Amino acid sequence: MSNPVTLDIQGDIAVITVSNPPVNALSQAVRAGLKKAFEDANSNGDAKAILLVCDGRTFIAGADISEFGKPPMEPHLPDLIYEIESSEKPIVVAIHGTALGGGLEVALGCHYRVAVKSAKMGLPEVGLGILPGAGGTQRLPRLVGAQKALEMITSGIPIKAEAAAAIGLIDEVGEGDDIAAIGIAFARRMVDENMPVRRTRDGNEKIKADAGNTALFEGTRALLNKKARGMFSPFKCVDAVEAATTQSFDEGMKTERRLFQECMDSPQRHGMIHAFFGERAVGKIKEMAPGPNQGKPRDIKTVGVIGGGTMGAGITVALMQSRIPVTMVERNEEAAKAGRANVEYILDGGVKRGKLTVEQKDAMMNGLYKVSDNYDGLKDVDLVIEAAFEEMSVKKQIFKTLDKVCKQGTILASNTSYLDINEIAACTNRPSDVLGLHFFSPANLMRLLEVVVTKDTSPDVVVSGFALAKRMRKVAVRAGVCDGFIGNRILSNYLKCAELMVLDGVSPYDIDKALVEFGYPMGPFSVSDLAGLDIGWATRKRLAATRDPNIRYGTYADKICEQGWFGRKTKMGFYDYSKHMVADTPNPAVMEYIEAERKEHGYVDKGIDQDGIIRRYLASMINEAAKVVEEGIAQRPVDVDMVLLFGYGFPRFRGGPMKYADMYGLDKVVADIEEFAKEDPAFWQPSKLLLDLAAKSETFDSLNK
Ligand code: 3HC
């Protein structure tokens, strides 16, 4: 393999260039190449100044994450950066794209920093469950002060070049886009003006004042207790930055190393890194693999949306945010008006929250949005997304009409959450152009998109769905057809488990509390209140005829609905929202219904504690997820993980249910299921895949490879 780092002596300037596509990550070869290049530049008789620059689309985007967990190889990044900083010749680094993590830490070790205007820089390690481990927590505060450093390191959010210049992180924003030219010009000035070597590690001015600033550090910890509840690494980030203000540079580096190692050893790091790679892995589907069945995405310039309700309006806004023109179709003039109002309502919310200007909203409504009460406007669109009422006969009627009206090649998608899309496709003359695009509410904010592939969907249409998702910045996951696809099918199983626990003596409030402590933003009962209890009620009625009579059925939720209590929208559900919209006051009637039901059927309190709640809830989720993989509804376990992470609030730091199961131990999951099955064998039927993997001491992850 060619050396990813080159040294080129241009007159009296030594130009070191990193070229390690796609993102110039700091692999061992890059680190070794940098070490040698800086040594050679320093010993070169002609070179008076050194420029570090990168080829390709970005500056160094960080340490090579795929090396994490493997035995560390020399040169170690902190040592390398120390050596770079020790250079006797002045160094300027020229940044384009993103200087992230270890990449920014390398830049902090250089003596001067310039960037193009479009460049961004940040320390996103916290998003991987770790902290900057190559001096970032010690050098950044020395350049920008402890407060700004804390903001950047605990949020992980990169900042733009101009903002970086304003706080002293970089010295200059260059003119134009030619990063090498900007770097050379600065290096020239360094030589001509005899600019001195300037080592970040030696500057203590900006941090002196923050030694012992408890208000700053305790204040940040208090904030994180709210924003990053249950997480490990954000708090270690604060400890490390605090150490920069109280310890010498060398001691601070030792503290950083110790804290970094603690993060590396934590299960949260495994979960977060699984999520990072998982987010990218789900985009790789069999229809993209080279070969005769490789799909070619169709050009999607305009889209039709059927239905202007909550989902239709949300999808419309999501499309318009990606600059895609939308024609919305509703049943009649009145419904069309309501559809427009729903779209405006969402955009106005964006304006209120400062996400959008009034001008941007007007430009969308006037330039990208049309609404009509007939299908004529859909003749030439490239894709139609149907988001009408969840009723098979309604959907079939719509698809028959679309099939007649739309030009050849238009892709027809349904946003159904559970209906059989094979059946919908069969009522058209183009079943290979039909697929499911299952958005999650609110569709303009939620990142998950299930791309549901029927038995006839063509590879071109599948990859078109993925290409659209990419434009919309959604995380698309390929799913097969079954009731509820990947996410809702697993959801109904673990909600059933929660229902059974309630019959067995646990209160809905204890379940919510346990799940929040596990890391969910909300527990299942408060989520149901938010979504509307009528939705689950309708599903239960739909499935009543096919319900397994051997599995107990709790009627308490139906009784709540019979009172007209549908959750937040009626100010009463499992919780009472009459005083405020926070799920903290139980509706007293709920426990009365539950107690009455337990008494009527003679259900005994099984004394399930918090640990028991989590073990049951997770086992039911993992078991159903394994069945979903076993049946080929999900391609791989990682697909399930990403669905649960991006659509159902599963805590990212746990990586997803399959990753959690691997870390917990599949044999232990099986043992749990066997224990619970003694009491409720009809519900607890283990997945064959789970049993097989556990018997072979394998992991779900082995199926992701
Ligand atoms: N290490 C290894 N691989 C990486 C990587 C990294 N740091 N960053 C990205 N990649 C890989 C991706 O997995 C992907 O691989 P694939 O094509 O096989 O799926 C490929 O590079 C391209 O990445 P994206 O699809 O994400 O490309 P984008 O252009 O959308 O985004 C990016 C580019 C903004 C740089 C984004 O990749 C990113 O955010 N990367 C991670 C940055 C990061 O977290 N850096 C910190 C690393 S930890 C560290 O530095 C520790 C240090 O303090 C000691």
Side-chain angles (χ1 to χ4, degrees):
M1 209 181 93
S2 63
N3 192 341
V5 183
T6 53
L7 169 67
D8 182 23
I9 306 295
Q10 300 182 13
D12 51 8
I13 297 167
V15 181
I16 297 175
T17 307
V18 179
S19 180
N20 184 30
V23 297
N24 288 317
L26 288 158
S27 62
Q28 190 277 337
V30 172
R31 298 195 305 275
L34 281 170
K35 182 176 165 66
K36 173 135 190 7
F38 274 100
E39 279 168 5
D40 291 352
N42 263 296
S43 59
N44 183 283
D46 296 327
K48 294 198 177 113
I50 304 171
L51 163 66
L52 173 64
V53 69
C54 289
D55 263 352
R57 66 191 213 220
T58 177
F59 187 74
I60 302 165
D64 187 338
I65 305 170
S66 63
E67 284 181 358
F68 287 7
K70 297 179 186 160
M73 284 185 294
E74 290 188 343
H76 305 303
L77 193 56
D79 302 339
L80 171 67
I81 296 174
Y82 194 90
E83 280 174 38
I84 294 176
E85 194 174 35
S86 305
S87 162
E88 293 301 328
K89 296 179 183 175
I91 308 169
V92 60
V93 59
I95 299 169
H96 74 296
T98 43
L100 299 177
L104 183 59
E105 291 174 300
V106 168
L108 293 172
C110 297
H111 306 142
Y112 297 90
R113 285 156 291 276
V114 293
V116 289
K117 196 174 167 200
S118 58
K120 284 186 182 171
M121 38 224 85
L123 293 171
E125 285 86 344
V126 72
L128 299 171
I130 54 172
L131 51 81
T137 65
Q138 304 304 299
R139 289 193 179 87
L140 188 63
R142 285 179 160 77
L143 274 187
V144 305
Q147 180 161 2
K148 286 271 176 294
L150 278 175
E151 279 166 28
M152 285 182 71
I153 294 172
T154 59
S155 76
I157 300 171
I159 58 171
K160 291 186 181 155
E162 281 174 343
I167 59 171
L169 172 51
I170 62 171
D171 297 282
E172 224 169 82
V173 180
E175 290 287 326
D177 292 332
D178 187 344
I179 190 61
I182 291 171
I184 289 280
F186 197 93
R188 180 79 269 129
R189 266 168 47 208
M190 290 200 311
V191 176
D192 294 348
E193 295 171 21
N194 209 8
M195 286 162 71
V197 160
R198 197 186 58 174
R199 298 188 179 103
T200 310
R201 64 179 182 233
D202 295 337
N204 289 330
E205 275 313 299
K206 287 206 174 169
I207 45 172
K208 262 195 252 157
D210 283 323
N213 184 347
T214 24
L216 174 64
F217 294 105
E218 290 310 320
T220 307
R221 287 186 183 102
L223 205 71
L224 289 173
N225 272 326
K226 289 191 194 134
K227 275 174 38 185
R229 187 178 42 81
M231 290 183 65
F232 186 73
S233 75
F235 297 91
K236 301 290 157 186
C237 291
V238 182
D239 295 351
V241 174
E242 190 169 24
T245 66
T246 55
Q247 299 177 349
S248 70
F249 179 80
D250 289 343
E251 282 171 23
M253 286 297 285
K254 279 188 205 142
T255 303
E256 179 191 88
R257 183 85 329 228
R258 176 176 54 77
L259 297 168
F260 179 78
Q261 206 47 52
E262 286 176 19
C263 292
M264 284 298 268
D265 294 341
S266 82
Q268 295 196 358
R269 185 274 288 185
H270 292 272
M272 300 284 263
I273 289 182
H274 176 72
F276 176 84
F277 284 119
E279 190 176 340
R280 285 149 182 90
V282 290
K284 298 180 175 92
I285 51 167
K286 60 181 178 191
E287 287 82 359
M288 286 175 192
N293 291 327
Q294 184 177 14
K296 202 169 147 282
R298 292 186 193 162
D299 199 10
I300 296 177
K301 289 203 190 75
T302 54
V303 175
V305 171
I306 309 288
T310 310
M311 268 330 274
I315 294 169
T316 300
V317 170
L319 288 160
M320 296 198 298
Q321 278 166 347
S322 313
R323 317 278 326 135
I324 300 172
V326 180
T327 301
M328 178 184 271
V329 172
E330 258 295 1
R331 282 158 299 151
N332 52 42
E333 212 176 304
E334 201 183 323
K337 257 195 208 151
R340 169 182 275 275
N342 286 340
V343 172
E344 292 220 47
Y345 179 78
I346 297 174
L347 292 176
D348 285 338
V351 172
K352 258 190 223 144
R353 290 197 311 276
K355 302 274 175 210
L356 198 74
T357 63
V358 177
E359 292 72 31
Q360 284 168 326
K361 178 205 152 184
D362 291 345
M364 280 189 194
M365 291 308 291
N366 300 330
L368 296 175
Y369 179 72
K370 279 189 221 150
V371 62
S372 161
D373 61 356
N374 68 63
Y375 283 67
D376 293 349
L378 301 183
K379 270 201 300 255
D380 295 317
V381 296
D382 305 303
L383 163 74
V384 181
I385 303 171
E386 165 277 316
F389 190 62
E390 283 283 83
E391 171 70 58
M392 186 54 98
S393 58
V394 175
K395 307 261 182 201
K396 280 188 173 171
Q397 192 50 50
I398 291 172
F399 273 74
K400 275 186 197 155
T401 312
L402 290 172
D403 191 27
K404 273 194 219 121
V405 171
C406 297
K407 67 177 185 201
Q408 207 189 340
T410 298
I411 298 171
L412 306 182
S414 174
N415 177 56
T416 179
S417 319
Y418 51 80
L419 292 177
D420 183 348
I421 308 179
N422 281 315
E423 200 180 326
I424 298 176
C427 74
T428 71
N429 291 308
R430 53 173 108 188
S432 60
D433 285 347
V434 177
L435 83 168
L437 289 179
H438 182 211
F439 289 84
F440 289 74
S441 190
N444 54 312
L445 299 179
M446 293 290 285
R447 300 231 14 240
L448 180 64
L449 177 67
E450 281 182 319
V451 177
V452 188
V453 180
T454 74
K455 64 185 176 48
D456 294 313
T457 312
S458 78
D460 288 359
V461 170
V462 179
V463 296
S464 302
F466 274 78
L468 177 75
K470 199 165 187 187
R471 271 169 81 187
M472 298 175 78
R473 297 188 179 188
K474 303 259 180 228
V475 177
V477 179
R478 189 188 188 286
V481 179
C482 68
D483 199 289
F485 316 124
I486 300 178
N488 280 348
R489 169 162 162 191
I490 298 171
L491 170 80
S492 33
N493 206 57
Y494 61 77
L495 287 185
K496 182 75 205 174
C497 174
E499 179 188 318
L500 295 175
M501 283 195 273
V502 169
L503 298 181
D504 289 335
V506 188
S507 86
Y509 313 105
D510 285 342
I511 295 178
D512 275 358
K513 186 168 158 279
L515 270 302
V516 168
E517 278 177 27
F518 181 77
Y520 271 90
M522 295 165 91
F525 293 96
S526 50
V527 171
S528 302
D529 271 0
L530 184 67
L533 298 180
D534 45 333
I535 296 178
W537 197 23
T539 308
R540 290 195 294 279
K541 285 184 196 158
R542 178 172 61 86
L543 297 176
T546 53
R547 195 182 293 149
D548 182 346
N550 297 314
I551 300 178
R552 289 173 296 160
Y553 180 81
T555 55
Y556 59 90
D558 297 344
K559 291 200 184 107
I560 297 172
C561 291
E562 281 158 17
Q563 302 302 315
W565 293 335
F566 295 154
R568 288 188 186 221
K569 60 186 168 193
T570 58
K571 297 209 167 169
M572 197 65 105
F574 281 97
Y575 294 87
D576 175 351
Y577 302 94
S578 54
K579 288 202 189 72
H580 57 200
M581 279 300 164
V582 182
D584 60 1
T585 313
N587 169 358
V590 171
M591 284 316 292
E592 283 173 25
Y593 296 146
I594 294 171
E595 299 291 359
E597 190 167 4
R598 285 179 191 153
K599 210 164 159 199
E600 185 189 337
H601 294 279
Y603 298 143
V604 290
D605 184 342
K606 289 189 180 152
I608 301 168
D609 60 8
Q610 180 147 330
D611 177 59
I613 294 173
I614 295 298
R615 284 200 296 132
R616 281 173 175 78
Y617 198 78
L618 266 295
S620 67
M621 191 184 299
I622 293 160
N623 196 32
E624 193 65 16
K627 291 179 188 174
V628 161
V629 175
E630 190 179 308
E631 292 167 25
I633 300 296
Q635 287 188 120
R636 299 152 295 196
V638 69
D639 292 64
V640 173
D641 281 341
M642 296 308 111
V643 166
L644 274 289
L645 237 57
F646 287 98
Y648 296 83
F650 195 95
R652 188 179 171 95
F653 63 79
R654 296 193 187 269
M658 308 307 250
K659 181 72 187 171
Y660 175 85
D662 280 350
M663 292 198 280
Y664 181 75
L666 299 193
D667 52 339
K668 278 169 75 188
V669 179
V670 170
D672 281 348
I673 292 175
E674 282 167 353
E675 179 193 328
F676 309 145
K678 283 185 198 141
E679 291 165 358
D680 228 332
F683 179 71
W684 292 101
Q685 296 190 3
S687 131
K688 184 172 173 320
L689 176 69
L690 173 63
L691 292 177
D692 287 352
L693 288 172
K696 287 189 284 184
S697 302
E698 287 275 9
T699 58
F700 284 121
D701 199 37
S702 65
L703 306 177
N704 290 327
K705 303 282 177 319

